[in-house]
Amino acid sequence: MLSAQDLLVALKLLQHDAPTHSHTLLGKPLGLSQSQVQQAYEHLTDARLLRPGTWSPVRAALVNVLVKGVPYFLPAPQQGDQLVCGVATGCGAVSLPCVETAPLVWPYAGGESEGFPLTPLCPEAVTAAQRDPELHRLLALTDLVRSHRSSLKERSVAAQRLEQAILEPVAAY
């Protein structure tokens, strides 16, 4: 069974410069331990989201899981109508027209944005996103797909952009 941390590792592995030669080095920017990264590797390989014996993601399969599966097994239900401070996600972190009057944020005391609270994919996602703008973009698009606050149009456009972001590097070869 995949966990949210497994998907965080998978999203990081989409980057060409992900340090795949060491579980510790891969886990450090994600806030994950060596054992958590090893477990994620096993889960991702078992789920056929990594090519066996490599750290290479099966990009098309990952798109399917993020767009079609995550909204059901890792949904982001509405947390309330009170605005909170936090780290921007969803439309507030990617250039996408929003229906909401306020953006979505991951509640975080050190955050600089204000918006409706949304539970991050996993607790480590907030800090990892702050360290890595590309990972932040992928997490924000994933949040739009899994959020109950997103309109159908926002979810659809986010799913298209997520698919493009994941599959685009393959088309460049």
Side-chain angles (χ1 to χ4, degrees), residues 7-128:
L7 294 176
L8 181 64
V9 170
L11 289 172
K12 181 66 176 174
L13 288 172
L14 292 170
Q15 298 174 344
H16 71 279
D17 61 348
T20 57
H21 58 281
S22 165
H23 293 119
T24 303
L25 290 178
L26 181 59
K28 188 171 184 165
L30 300 175
L32 299 175
S33 69
Q34 177 183 359
S35 62
Q36 288 172 308
V37 173
Q38 175 61 35
Q39 188 175 41
Y41 174 81
E42 291 170 8
H43 291 165
L44 292 166
T45 302
D46 289 347
R48 294 179 293 181
L49 295 175
L50 291 181
R51 288 181 174 74
T54 74
W55 283 96
S56 179
V58 179
R59 291 174 180 268
L62 188 55
V63 167
N64 282 333
V65 168
L66 291 171
V67 170
K68 297 177 182 172
V70 167
Y72 298 99
F73 76 86
L74 291 170
Q78 185 172 328
Q79 282 190 302
D81 291 328
Q82 298 294 321
L83 297 179
V84 299
C85 286
V87 175
T89 188
C91 296
V94 294
S95 58
L96 190 76
C98 264
V99 173
E100 289 292 339
T101 56
L104 299 172
V105 298
W106 296 314
Y108 184 72
E112 298 176 359
S113 298
E114 182 177 76
F116 292 114
L118 182 83
T119 303
L121 186 64
C122 61
E124 299 83 5
V126 179
T127 305

